[in-house]
Amino acid sequence: MKKKIIKLKDKFIRYIKRIKEEKLISSYFKNNRLFLVYVFVCVLNSTLLRIFTMPTMENYLSFKPIVADIAVVTIIGSFSYLFKGKKRYTYLLIWAIIFTTICTINSAYYTFYTSFASVSMLSLTQYIGQVGDAVVENVLQIKDLVYIFPLGFFIYYYHRLVKKDKYKIYGKETRIKKFKNTLITGAIILLLFVVSLSSLEISRFVKQWNREYIVMRFGIYMYQGNDIVTSIGPQISAMFGYDDAKKEFNEYYQDRNDEQDYTNEYTDILEGKNVIVIHAESLQGIAINRTFNGEEVTPNLNRLIKEGMYFNNFYSQVSVGTSSDTELTYNTSLMPTQNGTAFVSYFDRTYISTPSLLKEKGYYTFSMHANNADFWNRRAMHESLGYDKFYSKETYKVNDEDIIGLGLSDKSFFAQSVEKIKKISEEHDKYYGYVITLTNHTPFSDIDKYGDFPVTMKTTITNEDGTTEEIEAPYLEGTKLGNYFKSVHYADEALGEFFNEMDEAGLLDNTAIIIFGDHDARLPRSEFNLMYNYDPATDDIKDEEDPTYIDYDSFDYELDRKVPLIIWTKDGSVQGEINYTMGMYDVMPTLGNMLGFYNKYALGHDIFEIKDNNIVVFPNGNWVTDKMYYNSQKGEYKLLKDEIIDENYINENNEYAEKLLDISNKAIVFDLFNPNSEEEVNEAVSKEN
Ligand code: GP9
Ligand code: MN
């Protein structure tokens, strides 16, 4: 071993000597001038794009995307060495043009959409029009043309080399050697880059929806390459297995009626009313009715719960698409897809959705959210879901003092939204709006801006000498969970203001308001343990031996991920507390019964029909019923009722869950709600017969 190391050391020293003596570095630069200029030009363009589109200090100094760009450009450029003479230049020129075009298009696209372009958008014909307009409108801006200058320099440099007779033409052997060495160098740079990535960076890259984040870390070329893979991948997988999928799909739904075949006490109860849906970011059930020193975390929600209908056993069913998955499931009663996210990979499918069915009943449908329209690809997907208009960040005034966390504060967002809704109400008979909040988003660290809400514990403790003392123990102060409650308190206050403003504008009189938490807040389990088992005397978790100690296991944590669902009307026509286990996919059929629409393909149920017989399936195959929570990965469960359950119950529910997830996924991937695809199949079937 020692010998080997010495040998290697010798070899390395000899190599360094050789580099020095033979002036390898300077001769490399001399002999590969065109290639190096090509690398420089392409990397410079990508860097300029980042600086012009996202001019922050972090971007100026960021080294990572430069490494990524060098790796991509070097690997692609290495193949140029396989070509002889002028062809080598032509190869490099073609790629330099491609890279420059990528930068130019993205530069123009960014000005218009504050995001980066995606090839998946090209499949929307209407979208091409929009992108086309954007490019044409912006092409005159100097900053979009800047990228052409480095390209021009590359062309000029080549001609200069030729003129001075310095453009080297290599023999076949040298060419292959050069190709190999360059490719290996590129691969090593790529490897170094990959090793430096954090798990968050990798997961965001895989999901590909947070485009600014990806371009900032991976550079524009890797972003665009990944974009092509994530956009085309689903199209390719949808090419295989269509017939089987369609058959299974038809069998699954064959017993269902085309029309609703029941009525109950809530049928049509909200018919004709305007509807405003509040998709409340990260609003988790644990905040409801919780107090700190007698102060309610959510006084406004607590009031609405009493005045309206509160579903206290309600779960979101999200996968990696978090907010967007809830938007899918709420609007369509379908489950998130098994690969990628529906919003990014399958936005161009046909969906049967609440807004599209309400549109048939004469409603004007819109959505509102003060983030970039391309976040989660909402611009495209909200249109696919049947929203007539999406009011995104571009339509809101975002003053610096109104920014909290991810962007525009809920208070400002709501105030501006009420103005918009007022206008809509003047222009349309009936309307349905989906309003997405933003402030209550992880990491809940903007606590200075949430307003004062101490999450301490004021209590009386008995000292060892028997004396008593009034103390204010820190409790959840300084924890993420504590900050979360501060943030929710702010979100609740904003909601209260929204209700007041809506009422003042007379917009609540004939309107039903639906409020739900979009998913849990991803809070650490250890902090739940602290919350439930806090000892103010020691400012720590109680001893497990303490008789008041509550054992908090992973199932309790899963059950605590519940989110509230509220249906509220000013006239109090819908009231009560509903305990049935219910999931996001049950909202469409439940609301459909109340508003007078029906979707045969809903995977959930009207909760007032299925009642305590319901099952909520999660995208990972777990499920929960009134009787038990089942973890399908571990094959473990927790009983929720004092009832003995047999093996059959678990097997049947497992089968049900798997089938449901499979059908949902196939319906989306193979575009099975598309009437044209139905026609095609019918044609095929009639030919067979
Ligand atoms: C982004 C917001 C948050 O606009 O809806 O998305 P999330 O991180 O919750 O999926
Ligand atoms: Mn969310």
Side-chain angles (χ1 to χ4, degrees):
M1 184 72 180
K2 227 176 172 184
K3 259 188 184 172
K4 243 186 181 176
I5 292 175
I6 292 171
K7 244 185 173 178
L8 253 155
K9 208 174 143 191
D10 279 355
K11 219 175 167 186
F12 184 69
I13 291 170
R14 255 184 283 137
Y15 184 63
I16 299 286
K17 254 189 191 165
R18 221 187 106 205
I19 289 179
K20 261 190 183 168
E21 278 164 14
E22 295 177 25
K23 293 192 176 127
L24 283 185
I25 292 183
S26 60
S27 77
Y28 175 81
F29 274 89
K30 235 185 192 167
N31 292 336
N32 297 279
R33 276 184 267 200
L34 190 70
F35 180 81
L36 290 170
V37 169
Y38 147 85
V39 172
F40 175 75
V41 160
C42 298
V43 174
L44 175 70
N45 271 347
S46 170
T47 311
L48 287 177
L49 177 74
R50 283 194 306 280
I51 290 174
F52 289 143
T53 52
M54 301 176 285
T56 63
M57 219 43 208
E58 200 191 338
N59 283 329
Y60 294 140
L61 304 174
S62 176
F63 196 58
K64 256 188 185 173
I66 296 182
V67 178
D69 287 337
I70 293 176
V72 173
V73 169
T74 305
I75 290 172
I76 289 178
S78 67
F79 291 87
S80 67
Y81 287 114
L82 295 176
F83 297 102
K84 251 200 261 168
K86 199 179 171 190
K87 278 190 189 149
R88 184 154 53 89
Y89 161 70
T90 313
Y91 175 87
L92 289 177
L93 179 65
I94 289 171
W95 276 103
I97 291 173
I98 292 173
F99 288 136
T100 305
T101 312
I102 287 174
C103 291
T104 309
I105 288 178
N106 276 287
S107 173
Y109 188 89
Y110 194 91
T111 318
F112 205 74
Y113 294 116
T114 351
S115 185
F116 294 98
S118 168
V119 292
S120 59
M121 296 301 176
L122 297 176
S123 56
L124 278 187
T125 25
Q126 198 188 349
Y127 211 83
I128 296 174
Q130 285 178 28
V131 177
D133 282 353
V135 173
V136 172
E137 273 172 38
N138 292 307
V139 90
L140 293 174
Q141 295 195 7
I142 300 283
K143 64 166 189 44
D144 303 327
L145 298 174
V146 154
Y147 312 95
I148 308 219
F149 295 108
L151 177 71
F153 176 72
F154 173 73
I155 297 168
Y156 159 79
Y157 193 78
Y158 164 73
H159 288 288
R160 221 184 78 145
L161 282 180
V162 174
K163 210 170 166 190
K164 295 200 166 177
D165 214 12
K166 282 183 179 158
Y167 181 65
K168 265 211 149 191
I169 296 158
Y170 306 106
K172 193 177 174 195
E173 219 164 282
T174 332
R175 274 191 283 124
I176 289 183
K177 205 170 157 194
K178 272 187 176 287
F179 159 66
K180 266 193 197 159
N181 287 345
T182 317
L183 187 64
I184 290 169
T185 310
I188 290 171
I189 299 170
L190 183 66
L191 195 75
L192 290 175
F193 172 74
V194 171
V195 169
S196 77
L197 293 173
S198 69
S199 57
L200 180 73
E201 284 168 338
I202 295 170
S203 94
R204 293 228 161 141
F205 187 69
V206 172
K207 289 188 223 160
Q208 177 75 8
W209 58 265
N210 195 337
R211 303 187 200 167
E212 281 170 294
Y213 182 94
I214 298 174
V215 172
M216 212 158 89
R217 264 99 183 160
F218 294 77
I220 191 71
Y221 306 136
M222 266 204 198
Y223 159 79
Q224 209 76 77
N226 191 39
D227 168 65
I228 291 170
V229 174
T230 47
S231 307
I232 293 175
Q235 317 294 337
I236 293 172
S237 67
M239 278 157 57
F240 304 99
Y242 177 90
D243 292 342
D244 288 345
K246 184 77 191 180
K247 200 169 148 247
E248 272 178 60
F249 175 86
N250 286 342
E251 278 166 13
Y252 191 79
Y253 290 106
Q254 70 188 359
D255 297 332
R256 298 207 189 170
N257 283 344
D258 285 334
E259 302 286 331
Q260 187 167 318
D261 56 358
Y262 68 86
T263 55
N264 58 36
E265 61 176 306
Y266 296 106
T267 304
D268 294 343
I269 198 161
L270 300 176
E271 176 128 56
K273 276 201 190 319
N274 301 313
V275 183
I276 295 291
V277 183
I278 313 273
H279 163 135
E281 176 58 43
S282 301
L283 181 63
Q284 203 167 332
I286 49 161
I288 302 296
N289 287 327
R290 181 166 300 278
T291 59
F292 287 86
N293 307 311
E295 293 290 327
E296 293 171 287
V297 177
T298 58
N300 291 297
L301 283 162
N302 297 350
R303 175 175 53 80
L304 297 171
I305 278 165
K306 281 195 207 106
E307 293 172 0
M309 182 175 268
Y310 174 41
F311 301 82
N312 66 16
N313 206 358
F314 177 71
Y315 295 86
S316 77
Q317 295 164 291
V318 300
S319 177
V320 292
T322 46
S323 276
S324 74
D325 282 344
T326 269
E327 286 164 52
L328 172 85
T329 305
Y330 166 84
N331 280 295
T332 64
S333 192
L334 293 171
M335 291 296 289
T337 48
Q338 279 157 25
N339 295 312
T341 65
F343 264 53
V344 177
S345 301
Y346 306 101
F347 67 90
D348 54 354
R349 306 301 198 255
T350 301
Y351 292 97
I352 300 169
S353 66
T354 296
S356 65
L357 293 174
L358 283 176
K359 244 159 71 167
E360 285 172 15
K361 292 176 75 73
Y363 278 77
Y364 173 71
T365 61
F366 62 91
S367 55
M368 294 174 159
H369 182 49
N371 204 348
N372 294 338
D374 281 324
F375 216 90
W376 280 129
N377 203 21
R378 284 185 174 110
R379 188 198 309 280
M381 186 62 174
H382 278 209
E383 198 179 324
S384 302
L385 287 174
Y387 288 102
D388 288 319
K389 187 171 165 80
F390 174 28
Y391 295 85
S392 66
K393 186 176 172 183
E394 295 132 44
T395 69
Y396 287 84
K397 249 192 234 105
V398 185
N399 298 325
D400 282 352
E401 65 270 22
D402 290 329
I403 289 182
I404 305 183
L406 275 195
L408 185 64
S409 70
D410 280 0
K411 285 187 185 176
S412 175
F413 167 65
F414 275 138
Q416 295 185 54
S417 297
V418 171
E419 292 306 312
K420 295 185 200 300
I421 296 171
K422 211 162 145 186
K423 252 187 123 195
I424 290 167
S425 75
E426 285 157 11
E427 287 162 10
H428 300 275
D429 260 4
K430 279 187 290 186
Y431 55 86
Y432 170 87
Y434 190 89
V435 179
I436 306 168
T437 70
L438 187 60
T439 303
N440 189 39
H441 193 280
T442 194
F444 317 110
S445 51
D446 241 353
I447 43 173
D448 301 343
K449 297 187 178 166
Y450 299 149
D452 194 30
F453 188 74
V455 287
T456 56
M457 189 186 274
K458 286 184 187 160
T459 187
T460 312
I461 56 160
T462 312
N463 293 318
E464 274 174 16
D465 60 5
T467 56
T468 57
E469 199 186 329
E470 300 276 314
I471 61 157
E472 183 168 356
Y475 196 21
L476 299 182
E477 284 294 334
T479 64
K480 188 170 181 190
L481 184 57
N483 291 349
Y484 172 66
F485 288 125
K486 288 172 194 276
S487 168
V488 174
H489 186 70
Y490 169 88
D492 177 82
E493 211 165 75
L495 196 72
E497 288 183 10
F498 174 68
F499 268 74
N500 289 341
E501 286 153 3
M502 286 284 284
D503 207 13
E504 272 163 29
L507 293 167
L508 289 183
D509 298 335
N510 188 34
T511 302
I513 310 267
I514 321 290
I515 305 168
F516 56 80
D518 67 345
H519 47 73
D520 70 302
R522 291 160 262 174
L523 299 159
R525 194 172 124 195
S526 59
E527 292 186 358
F528 278 73
N529 204 12
L530 180 75
M531 176 169 74
Y532 291 122
N533 288 305
Y534 184 69
D535 182 353
T538 60
D539 183 29
D540 207 346
I541 296 176
K542 284 176 200 162
D543 198 276
E544 284 186 29
E545 302 303 315
D546 190 310
T548 57
Y549 182 85
I550 299 165
D551 201 17
Y552 190 75
D553 63 21
S554 63
F555 284 104
D556 295 317
Y557 182 70
E558 288 302 324
L559 294 166
D560 259 347
R561 294 177 70 196
K562 278 190 215 27
V563 295
L565 168 68
I566 304 165
I567 302 177
W568 182 93
T569 54
K570 195 176 172 181
D571 58 15
S573 56
V574 187
Q575 278 184 328
E577 186 156 345
I578 313 298
N579 306 313
Y580 305 131
T581 304
M582 182 177 178
M584 195 60 77
Y585 63 8
D586 298 315
V587 181
M588 187 187 200
T590 304
L591 210 57
N593 179 50
M594 292 180 167
L595 284 162
F597 66 82
Y598 173 71
N599 172 16
K600 171 182 172 179
Y601 300 101
L603 292 173
H605 296 91
D606 177 352
I607 197 67
F608 298 108
E609 284 299 297
I610 192 109
K611 297 182 176 164
D612 61 359
N613 202 18
N614 199 21
I615 172 169
V616 175
V617 175
F618 297 101
N620 60 3
N622 290 3
W623 47 264
V624 62
T625 64
D626 274 13
K627 294 191 173 100
M628 72 191 294
Y629 184 98
Y630 185 80
N631 182 320
S632 72
Q633 276 101 106
K634 295 188 188 147
E636 292 170 0
Y637 57 84
K638 181 172 184 125
L639 291 178
L640 304 176
K641 271 200 176 138
D642 247 353
E643 223 179 276
I644 297 169
I645 286 187
D646 63 15
E647 197 70 14
N648 265 351
Y649 181 80
I650 296 176
N651 291 343
E652 276 168 20
N653 279 339
N654 271 341
E655 232 170 77
Y656 177 88
E658 263 170 45
K659 187 78 192 165
L660 182 142
L661 288 172
D662 188 41
I663 290 296
S664 178
N665 194 58
K666 286 187 168 137
I668 297 172
V669 171
F670 292 103
D671 200 11
L672 299 179
F673 299 119
N674 182 347
N676 295 331
S677 86
E678 188 128 304
E679 264 168 35
E680 283 160 26
V681 166
N682 285 344
E683 259 173 44
V685 170
S686 61
K687 262 184 208 160
E688 266 175 38
N689 296 337

